[in-house]
Every structure is written in structure tokens, then in C-alpha cells.
Amino acid sequence: MTQNPYRLLLTQGDITRVDADAIVNAANTSLLGGGGVDGAIHRAAGPGLLDECRTLRGCPTGEARITGGYNLPARHVIHTVGPVWQGGHKGERETLARCYRSVFELVERQGLRSVAFPSISTGAYRFPISEAAPIALRELRAALARLPQLERVTVLLFSPEDLDVYRQALAALGATS
Ligand code: AR6
């Protein structure tokens, strides 16, 4: 299938400001907030998000849960729990891929048309971003090929350095697939 390249956007910025059907949160298994992008999303969404998260009773690593977006411009938040990097021999790569697939299962089920991701696991969970980027991009491209309902998938990189890593990974994938 030919893919419209404009359906996948890599950009630098703050995910809490993105207007999309859903933004993805790099959460922890409690789903009760934390630092990094999780803290930023909870601060921007307001206390309604934490109230709804409490009703979910957590989320195992590699799975995903959907809530409302509350005071965010995004309509929904999809919370997923990435793997903690432990050197790469504990199935971290497969678990990270599973996070992206779990998010897209919810996207498909809810009929969402636009979704924005942060770089899952590459902050506090220490997954090397040069290894995470090709895994993320492979899953995003597979979902775009599989789900015609998807109009736009955005990756919001927090720093220009992270954006460069993703851009280079996308160029490298383009050459091989
Ligand atoms: N918009 C986009 N990206 C951001 C933002 C933002 N507002 N803030 C940070 N990032 P992290 P993890 C980037 O640590 O590694 C939390 O405490 C950040 O620069 O947020 O999956 C949770 O509760 C990095 O590139 O998530 C968990 O305990 C990326 O988001 C734990 O951290 C992910 O970094 C999850 O760790």
C-alpha cells in the first residue's frame, strides 16, 4: 500500500499543547502520575484526570488505557507503561513495541483519527533513544498502513537532539523498507 508520508509528522514541542483526538502518556504502572511527560500531562489536564485514573486501578507494562483529556486540548489521553531499560536483555525492545501496538488497538477501537506520542521510555526509564526511535517508527508506520482511519500520527520530541535522532532513524528505515 502506498503511504501518504504527510500522515506521519516528527516535530519538537510540548505534547500537552497538542490538539489531537488523543495524546499518549508515558506513565507508570500506578497510572497515578509522576515526573516527565506524565507530570506535565497531569498538571495541564487538571485533577479530573487523576480522579479517572484512580478508577482504572493501574496498568501493566506494555499495555494501555484510555481516559478523557479534561483541560487538555486533546480529547483523550492514552496511558501506556513503557519498559525500564535494564541493559536490553530483558525483552525491553519487544515490550516497547507492544506499548505502541496497545495504543493503536485503542485508537482503532475508538475510531480516533489523530494521535500524538512522546518518546516512550527514553527519559526516566533510560531506554537509549537511538534504539527506541526505530522501534517506535516501525510500529507507527505499520499502524498507518493498517488503519486508513488514521489521518495523522505525530511524534512530539522534547529536544532538538531527540528530534534529530528520530529524523535520522526515519531516514534509515526509509532506505531499508
Ligand atoms: N512533551 C513531550 N515530551 C516530553 C514532555 C512534554 N511535555 N516532558 C518530557 N518529555 P519520561 P519514561 C519527554 O521520563 O522514560 C514518569 O515519572 C522526555 O524528554 O517522561 O517513559 C512516569 O510516571 C523524554 O524524551 O518517560 C514514569 O514513572 C520522554 O518524554 C516514568 O517517568 C519520556 O520521558 C516513565 O519514564
Side-chain angles (χ1 to χ4, degrees):
M1 181 201 248
T2 331
Q3 273 190 50
N4 176 356
Y6 301 109
R7 292 166 71 211
L8 176 59
L9 177 70
L10 307 182
T11 188
Q12 192 201 334
D14 177 354
I15 203 166
T16 65
R17 305 176 78 107
V18 173
D19 183 359
D21 285 347
I23 61 170
V24 174
N25 183 18
N28 58 62
T29 54
S30 79
L31 295 186
L32 298 180
V37 71
D38 194 7
I41 287 174
H42 274 274
R43 273 193 302 280
L49 179 61
L50 185 57
D51 288 345
E52 185 175 355
C53 283
R54 279 205 183 93
T55 69
L56 299 175
R57 305 193 172 277
C59 175
T61 302
E63 294 189 17
R65 302 286 185 268
I66 190 164
T67 64
Y70 298 89
N71 298 335
L72 291 163
R75 253 94 46 227
H76 301 277
V77 179
I78 300 178
H79 310 260
T80 187
V81 184
V84 177
W85 181 259
Q86 296 176 78
H89 302 291
K90 297 270 167 75
E92 295 96 322
R93 295 173 185 81
E94 179 47 38
T95 305
L96 184 64
R98 206 145 53 77
C99 286
Y100 286 90
R101 281 180 227 138
S102 301
V103 169
F104 283 113
E105 275 170 30
L106 291 171
V107 164
E108 180 176 19
R109 209 178 302 155
Q110 305 276 334
L112 307 182
R113 294 178 180 190
S114 56
V115 56
F117 288 83
S119 180
I120 298 164
S121 279
T122 65
Y125 284 178
R126 302 183 315 272
F127 204 118
I129 191 164
S130 57
E131 295 229 30
I135 295 168
L137 291 166
R138 237 178 262 123
E139 294 303 326
L140 302 184
R141 295 213 313 193
L144 281 163
R146 192 171 69 79
L147 301 174
Q149 75 190 44
L150 268 176
E151 290 167 6
R152 164 131 312 179
V153 174
T154 307
V155 188
L156 260 289
L157 286 319
F158 210 41
S159 72
E161 293 76 21
D162 288 357
L163 177 59
D164 265 356
V165 174
Y166 269 70
R167 281 198 175 136
Q168 281 169 26
L170 186 60
L173 279 186
T176 57
S177 57

